[in-house]
Amino acid sequence: MPDDPTADPKPLADLEEWEEFLKGRYPEGAKDGHAFRDYRAEARPSVTEFYRLNHRHQTHEFVRSKKAEYLTLDRREMGVWEAMEYLNELVDDSDPDTDLTQIEHLLQAAEAIRADGHPRWMQVTGLIHDLGKILCLWGEPQWAVVGDTFVTGCRFSEKVVFPEFFALNPDAENPALQTESGVYEPGCGLGNVHLSWGHDEYLYHVVKNHLPDEALYMIRYHSFYAWHKEGAYAHLTDTKDHEMLPWVRTFNPYDLYSKTDERPDVGALEPYYRDLIAEFFPAKLRW
């Protein structure tokens, strides 16, 4: 599909604009599946444009092509802390002097999980869950890195944010991809469907041999709000998905609501988290 000549691949001033939008759409403590606010009216123009690009370009074929491109994991070898330092190169161009670094954001999530007494595997999950955003450093546009994920290869769900933009997606014109189950079998399991491409799916494949299933579901599906918040795509899920759903929901508040303006002491925390990383991961991972 040709590029949109009018499209800005970086409509967001920084990736946190997307997360701020999510916090407005899903206020802390609100019940799952509730229609909270008129997000269309409240969304910034940059966020609306971001979703327009995301929904237009995330076709079934695009997702499959990105998996073929990236899941060979042959771009570089890095340890987890090294990857965190690499992600720190992703800065907010709009206000680089005041925003927290990427490492500080990751530590905030991990520290909130740790403070609540969750197990060490969940602490390390909080620490690493956004490392897939390094895709931005390899030239991927924002709409191919972040955003609420959705299933490609079947009918677009009205429960996905800004569903009207799916009319721009070429898959909307393909009848084979617009039945309820599309190219899938009912009950096939989420592990057998192709979600829209982004940092969640990429990181899952980097770490899938090193963490328990609960952690892997948190990483792979934390942006899949249509499923874990809105109850969409239930006809594609299997028994394991149902068993893991509460863990994804447990993790979600730490993803969205743990970020504050208070800076964590990276130097003081680094020894603890380097030890935690070594408990679960080898010295180098393929990326």
Side-chain angles (χ1 to χ4, degrees):
M1 178 175 53
D3 291 334
D4 179 355
T6 67
D8 178 359
K10 294 180 62 177
L12 305 177
D14 61 89
L15 299 185
E16 279 67 42
E17 279 193 351
W18 166 60
E19 295 178 352
E20 288 299 318
F21 168 77
L22 287 174
K23 286 191 285 187
R25 187 181 180 212
Y26 298 111
E28 190 170 10
K31 293 182 179 180
D32 294 336
H34 181 67
F36 298 113
R37 299 161 69 171
D38 184 1
Y39 66 82
R40 290 176 179 85
E42 297 181 12
R44 298 179 185 180
S46 58
V47 171
T48 302
E49 174 63 5
F50 164 78
Y51 278 107
R52 186 187 73 83
L53 293 170
N54 176 275
H55 291 2
R56 173 175 178 170
H57 293 293
Q58 288 269 7
T59 65
H60 189 56
E61 179 56 33
F62 173 82
V63 171
R64 292 167 63 90
S65 71
K66 286 299 171 184
K67 287 183 173 182
E69 179 179 355
Y70 281 102
L71 298 189
T72 51
L73 303 180
D74 58 1
R75 295 195 169 256
R76 61 192 299 169
E77 290 191 359
M78 296 183 287
V80 167
W81 192 271
E82 183 183 357
M84 291 167 61
E85 293 177 330
Y86 181 48
L87 185 64
N88 251 12
E89 297 179 21
L90 185 63
V91 297
D92 174 13
D93 294 333
S94 67
D95 197 1
D97 295 327
T98 59
D99 281 6
L100 272 65
T101 67
Q102 297 297 321
I103 283 182
E104 288 169 330
H105 281 320
L106 295 172
L107 286 170
Q108 282 182 336
E111 281 291 278
I113 292 168
R114 180 185 177 191
D116 285 347
H118 290 296
R120 286 170 66 83
W121 63 260
M122 188 169 170
Q123 296 172 36
V124 82
T125 301
L127 183 71
I128 71 168
H129 76 283
D130 274 347
L131 284 182
K133 291 178 181 178
I134 63 176
L135 290 170
C136 284
L137 298 174
W138 294 334
E140 291 300 317
Q142 292 171 340
W143 56 262
V145 178
V146 298
D148 310 32
T149 54
F150 54 87
V151 180
T152 68
C154 68
R155 182 186 302 143
F156 298 118
S157 172
E158 288 295 314
K159 292 186 177 181
V160 179
V161 65
F162 290 106
E164 62 270 25
F165 289 143
F166 286 128
L168 305 172
N169 190 305
D171 288 355
E173 304 299 321
N174 185 340
L177 303 181
Q178 292 305 311
T179 64
E180 183 179 47
S181 297
V183 301
Y184 311 111
E185 294 294 327
C188 64
L190 295 179
N192 293 307
V193 306
H194 292 282
L195 295 184
S196 50
W197 175 252
H199 71 287
D200 311 50
E201 183 71 12
Y202 173 65
L203 183 66
Y204 161 76
H205 286 277
V206 173
V207 303
K208 64 184 180 182
N209 295 325
H210 305 289
L211 292 171
D213 286 344
E214 294 84 352
L216 297 177
Y217 264 75
M218 292 172 179
I219 289 168
R220 196 176 198 182
Y221 302 115
H222 69 270
S223 301
F224 193 15
Y225 290 90
W227 174 55
H228 67 72
K229 282 286 191 184
E230 304 288 352
Y233 303 109
H235 64 290
L236 297 176
T237 60
D238 61 13
T239 300
K240 186 173 183 180
D241 298 328
H242 288 286
E243 292 173 351
M244 293 292 110
L245 178 57
W247 287 106
V248 180
R249 288 175 170 165
T250 296
F251 178 75
N252 182 244
Y254 299 105
D255 178 36
L256 280 189
Y257 310 121
S258 62
K259 292 181 178 179
T260 68
D261 291 333
E262 184 177 349
R263 306 191 90 101
D265 187 335
V266 177
L269 294 172
E270 182 175 350
Y272 177 84
Y273 283 103
R274 280 190 177 273
D275 181 67
L276 185 66
I277 290 165
E279 181 178 334
F280 292 93
F281 297 104
K284 298 286 185 180
L285 290 170
R286 295 179 59 197
W287 299 79

